[in-house]
Amino acid sequence: MRSAALRADQALRTAVDRVRPAAHRVGEWLAPLIQRVLQWLAPLLQRIQEAPAVRRLRERVSPHVDKLPESVRRAPRTRSMQVGAAVAAVGVVGLVIGSATSGPANTEIHEAAMQAPIQQPQAQAAPEQPVQAPVEQAAPAPQAQPAPQAPLGPPVEGIDVSNHNGDIDWRQVAADGKKFTFVLATDGTSFTNPRYSEQYHGAKDAGLIAGAYHFARPGSSSAEAQAERFLNVADYQSDGKTLPPVLDLEVDPNSGGCYGLSVDEMHLWTKTFNDKVKERTGKEPIIYANPSFWRQCMGGTDTFDGHPLWLASYEVDSPAVPGGFSDWDFWQYTDKGNVAGIGGNTDLNQYQQGFERLKQLAG
């Protein structure tokens, strides 16, 4: 029995002796390869060791390693252990690379790493930003508010004149209690009152409030042409002493009709004239008319109700307001008046709302 064991041991030793040279040659062949692999992996292994997850795992395991026996922790490493370590390192690298590309698949390792005690880094203070002075917002410009309406007063007396009235002593007119006047400036397409400037400025110089009027002839030329010529002569000034320009609408002096125009055409002509006046002066023109004309030629329209109405109506105690207007502002109540400073008869007028509102209208 003993001899059999000796023979088996001898056979094993013989086999080992035969294999040892080959194993030695393999080890010598693998050693440089393993060295190169380790050199190649060194930067990657360093990054792996510095990775937060590995650092937390190391901190978690380190206390347990310190408890191992000294002999185990200081055991000599054989060449075969080096080869195994190299192979293990390659396996770890493959595992890390695979995890990086496919995401955290191993939940147990992830949870263990998360449970490891981690010291939270202190938050760095954000760089101090320069304090900007508050930008003052410009206050919005105050919007112009309409002036409050002046108080209502008793009717105010005035007149209207043309070249037919000749020379006028305006100081006597003012002394006779007249507060305002309308002066003919132009008529149709060609006539201009030759006395316009002396009458208009003479009235103002005497303290009267004055306004200019145009006798319209819609069948003879366009509204734009007559408005432009009228405004060029009238010389409107926003000086607190000038009433808005007046459009005098009456039947055709020659035919007694509406200048050959339809009601719609009369509406358009009137609106065009008024728009041109407002464009130049900023004022809504005063409209002069009598009830029969407004009914016959304008169809009783209320399109111009926003304009002041100068109404001609004689020999009545109170004028009838034409359809389309809510009330009258000026009333020409006779053409046979007598006024100091004017030879012969002249037209007399009233302004219904009092002197303070008359001044406001001229503002």
Side-chain angles (χ1 to χ4, degrees):
M1 187 71 173
R2 182 177 177 81
S3 60
L6 291 174
R7 285 195 299 271
D9 181 67
Q10 184 64 36
L12 180 61
R13 288 178 180 274
T14 302
V16 169
D17 290 338
R18 290 178 180 176
V19 172
R20 182 178 289 119
H24 181 71
R25 288 194 298 272
V26 171
E28 290 180 345
W29 177 78
L30 286 175
L33 178 61
I34 292 171
Q35 186 66 28
R36 286 195 296 271
V37 169
L38 291 175
Q39 291 176 352
W40 178 75
L41 291 175
L44 181 58
L45 291 173
Q46 182 66 29
R47 287 197 295 272
I48 293 172
Q49 290 177 357
E50 294 174 355
V54 175
R55 185 171 62 253
R56 288 193 295 269
L57 187 60
R58 187 169 58 248
E59 292 172 353
R60 182 74 173 179
V61 173
S62 178
H64 302 285
V65 174
D66 292 340
K67 295 178 182 179
L68 292 175
E70 185 71 16
S71 58
V72 175
R73 287 186 286 133
R74 296 182 178 275
R77 299 178 181 177
T78 62
R79 187 176 299 276
S80 61
M81 290 175 65
Q82 292 177 353
V83 173
V87 174
V90 173
V92 171
V93 171
L95 178 61
V96 172
I97 294 173
S99 299
T101 57
S102 63
N106 194 330
T107 58
E108 290 81 1
I109 295 177
H110 176 73
E111 292 174 356
M114 294 302 293
Q115 293 172 2
I118 303 172
Q119 185 175 1
Q120 296 294 335
Q122 295 182 353
Q124 296 182 354
E128 184 177 352
Q129 298 293 330
V131 178
Q132 295 183 352
V135 179
E136 293 186 3
Q137 298 291 334
Q143 296 184 352
Q145 298 295 326
Q149 193 171 30
L152 188 66
V156 179
E157 290 289 323
I159 61 174
D160 64 271
V161 297
S162 69
N163 53 299
H164 298 295
N165 295 100
D167 294 332
I168 299 173
D169 185 339
W170 288 102
R171 297 197 180 276
Q172 290 189 41
V173 173
D176 200 13
K178 306 310 180 214
K179 301 297 185 183
F180 67 90
T181 185
F182 292 108
V183 180
L184 174 68
T186 52
D187 179 337
T189 59
S190 57
F191 179 79
T192 299
N193 177 7
R195 295 181 177 270
Y196 172 75
S197 182
E198 66 178 77
Q199 291 176 338
Y200 179 75
H201 292 291
K204 281 190 170 184
D205 291 343
L208 276 73
I209 294 174
Y213 72 93
H214 170 75
F215 187 95
R217 296 182 186 265
S220 62
S221 62
S222 70
E224 293 94 335
Q226 292 192 36
E228 287 287 355
R229 197 173 77 84
F230 166 54
L231 292 169
N232 291 339
V233 173
D235 189 28
Y236 174 84
Q237 301 292 326
S238 181
D239 55 6
K241 299 185 295 182
T242 305
L243 292 168
V246 178
L247 174 60
D248 180 356
L249 291 172
E250 303 181 35
V251 295
D252 188 339
N254 299 320
S255 66
C258 303
Y259 303 91
L261 302 180
S262 67
V263 168
D264 288 342
E265 289 171 333
M266 286 294 296
H267 288 179
L268 179 60
W269 196 98
T270 302
K271 181 180 184 306
T272 303
F273 185 99
N274 290 344
D275 288 348
K276 179 60 68 174
V277 170
K278 187 172 183 179
E279 178 186 322
R280 287 271 300 268
T281 67
K283 298 289 187 178
E284 295 284 4
I286 298 170
I287 292 178
Y288 173 96
N290 62 59
S292 62
F293 170 85
W294 200 256
R295 182 176 57 256
Q296 176 185 350
C297 297
M298 301 298 287
T301 180
D302 61 359
T303 302
F304 305 98
D305 187 34
H307 294 258
L309 173 63
W310 180 11
L311 179 60
S313 184
Y314 302 159
E315 300 178 356
V316 295
D317 294 331
S318 180
V321 179
F325 288 95
S326 56
D327 204 351
W328 59 270
D329 296 277
F330 296 88
W331 173 26
Q332 186 185 73
Y333 57 89
T334 184
D335 59 354
K336 296 180 173 60
N338 292 309
V339 177
I342 301 177
N345 293 332
T346 190
D347 298 338
L348 299 181
N349 299 270
Q350 282 186 355
Y351 177 69
Q352 182 175 204
Q353 300 181 45
F355 187 58
E356 292 303 317
R357 291 195 181 181
L358 179 70
K359 290 191 295 182
Q360 192 171 50
L361 183 63

